Amino acid sequence: MIDGKSRTIDYLRISVTDRCNLRCVYCMPEKGVEWMPHEAVLRYEDILRLCRVFAGLGVTKYKITGGEPLVRKGLDTLISGIKAIPGAESVTITTNGVLLKEQLPALLEAGLDGVNISLDTLDPARYQELTRRDELKAVMGSLKAALGAPGLNVKINCVPTGDRSRDWLELAALAREERAAVRFIELMPLGLGRSLASCTEAEIRRLLEKEYGPMAPFVGKLGNGPCRYFTVPGFLGKIGFISAMSHQFCHQCNRVRLTAGGFLKTCLQYNEGIELSPLLKGSDRQLREAIRAAIYRKPGAHQFAAGAGAGLEGHLMNQIGG
Ligand code: SAM
Ligand code: SF4
């Protein structure tokens, strides 16, 4: 559908849990996390019903996220359910990769179109520091399995923080040997992200170009979102940048988010949206009208650069889904 700012909204990010098996420093605190009670989490059948309503409003692309989506059992059944919705063009997941290898066959069987693996370093000690867990080996096994799956679109997502040039060079080099895209996502000043030093697209580009040669903008359509892709001499895969801070893309925003508890969140920065779980008692028509009205009011742009303001998001990223 078209929102109140004339943007086409056709992409839904669905968080299936707020739980996670890692504790990334920019996303979750090390201790004292309060989980959403199980009974407050939407059941798959409710998510599927909502997806059908969203499909009726023009959503064609679905991303499953969390928390860590693969810690929730039976994700393959949700994926095959969404794939069966008329008009569903793609169903993808974003995962930390820890549990992906063992679940990949079932996910592929369910019709998964693509996977984004979040990975910020290839160095075991740095991985432990950044995620507070020792799971790099499992993630690398999953990455290998995903790259070996015919037809699966694989992307590697890194949120660069601090000053870790070697990590970024090594991650980018994965795109030299593989067709996968390696994408650098600028840290958003949300939740724990507020307290960390971020790194801009311009800084990463300078670093990569110095090492690997000039990058050229990739002309053509790749993916469903705001990522801008570049080719690098001798690289099979592409390098991408999602730069919400230095290259704000709100005017092209095509997405809304459904939290694990059933809140339809229309902008990452604000609490704007509507609680859908109470409306599940009503008819599909009522749901549809409530969703339509909320999307119509989707905020025009984030104002992270302008600092704090009223109605700002107070949740952590694992509760929102990224
Ligand atoms: N656990 C899954 C994962 O890590 O891919 C899915 C959920 S995670 C919240 C989704 C994405 O949000 C990850 O790529 C993560 O790196 C990113 N993320 C978390 N906090 C962020 C922040 N403050 N700014 C930018 N990206 C962030
Ligand atoms: Fe978990 Fe993903 Fe957040 Fe890391 S970024 S703590 S893997 S939800």
Side-chain angles (χ1 to χ4, degrees):
M1 70 167 273
I2 310 287
D3 76 357
K5 303 282 183 296
S6 305
R7 295 167 296 193
T8 298
I9 308 301
D10 59 3
Y11 178 106
L12 176 66
R13 287 180 78 94
I14 305 162
S15 173
V16 293
T17 180
D18 60 342
R19 284 154 210 255
C20 189
N21 44 4
L22 299 183
R23 293 288 180 278
C24 300
V25 289
Y26 46 70
C27 184
M28 290 177 77
E30 184 169 16
K31 291 202 176 85
V33 190
E34 270 188 41
W35 305 119
M36 185 182 285
H38 277 296
E39 59 280 8
V41 175
L42 287 187
R43 296 171 307 168
Y44 284 155
E45 59 195 89
D46 293 329
I47 296 178
L48 282 172
R49 178 176 168 211
L50 288 171
C51 286
R52 284 191 284 272
V53 175
F54 277 103
L57 288 167
V59 167
T60 56
K61 297 151 200 141
Y62 304 84
K63 168 83 74 202
I64 298 172
T65 176
E68 171 50 37
L70 297 179
V71 301
R72 184 157 173 189
K73 289 201 173 66
L75 204 63
D76 54 319
T77 57
L78 178 68
I79 291 171
S80 56
I82 301 177
K83 287 289 286 187
I85 296 173
E89 280 171 21
S90 76
V91 182
T92 57
I93 60 169
T94 177
T95 169
N96 59 33
V98 173
L99 299 172
L100 181 64
K101 187 176 170 188
E102 64 201 63
Q103 296 189 29
L104 193 60
L107 299 174
L108 291 171
E109 178 73 28
L112 185 72
D113 294 293
V115 59
N116 293 359
I117 298 180
S118 301
L119 183 58
D120 294 332
T121 178
L122 298 181
D123 177 83
R126 288 288 303 147
Y127 186 88
Q128 168 87 44
E129 226 174 277
L130 287 168
T131 66
R132 304 184 180 111
R133 297 290 185 273
D134 179 17
E135 296 284 6
L136 182 60
K137 240 193 194 152
V139 179
M140 295 312 285
S142 293
L143 178 59
K144 194 167 169 217
L147 289 169
L152 186 70
N153 189 2
V154 182
K155 294 171 187 162
I156 296 156
N157 286 345
C158 163
V159 176
T161 52
D163 181 12
R164 297 183 289 111
S165 311
R166 217 192 68 199
D167 287 346
W168 307 326
L169 287 171
E170 286 176 0
L171 282 165
L174 293 173
R176 184 165 45 199
E177 318 300 338
E178 303 287 351
R179 283 188 195 287
V182 176
R183 313 188 315 168
F184 294 91
I185 303 177
E186 280 181 356
L187 181 76
M188 309 277 284
L190 262 179
L192 298 173
R194 288 195 189 103
S195 54
L196 289 172
S198 63
C199 193
T200 64
E201 169 178 337
E203 289 167 305
I204 304 275
R205 257 190 86 170
R206 253 196 313 277
L207 173 79
L208 300 188
E209 291 198 317
K210 196 165 159 220
E211 185 76 15
Y212 299 125
M215 294 167 48
F218 172 71
V219 198
K221 174 99 180 101
L222 209 62
N224 300 321
C227 188
R228 286 170 300 112
Y229 288 96
F230 292 81
T231 56
V232 184
F235 276 42
L236 279 177
K238 313 247 177 322
I239 299 294
F241 294 97
I242 303 178
S243 310
M245 302 303 293
S246 69
H247 294 68
Q248 194 168 350
F249 42 74
C250 302
H251 61 290
Q252 293 174 313
C253 187
N254 63 345
R255 61 201 53 203
V256 289
R257 296 170 166 83
L258 180 64
T259 69
F263 183 73
L264 171 63
K265 190 170 163 47
T266 52
C267 174
L268 196 52
Q269 187 182 15
Y270 301 98
N271 291 321
E272 290 282 321
I274 184 169
E275 216 42 271
L276 293 179
S277 24
L279 301 178
L280 287 166
K281 292 191 199 91
S283 68
D284 281 5
R285 200 163 145 252
Q286 286 165 326
L287 271 174
R288 184 186 158 101
E289 288 320 308
I291 292 171
R292 188 202 294 280
I295 293 182
Y296 192 79
R297 293 192 303 270
K298 180 174 158 69
H302 75 65
Q303 290 176 11
F304 285 121
L312 293 185
E313 179 54 70
H315 289 96
L316 298 172
M317 209 54 138
N318 70 300
Q319 298 167 316
I320 302 171

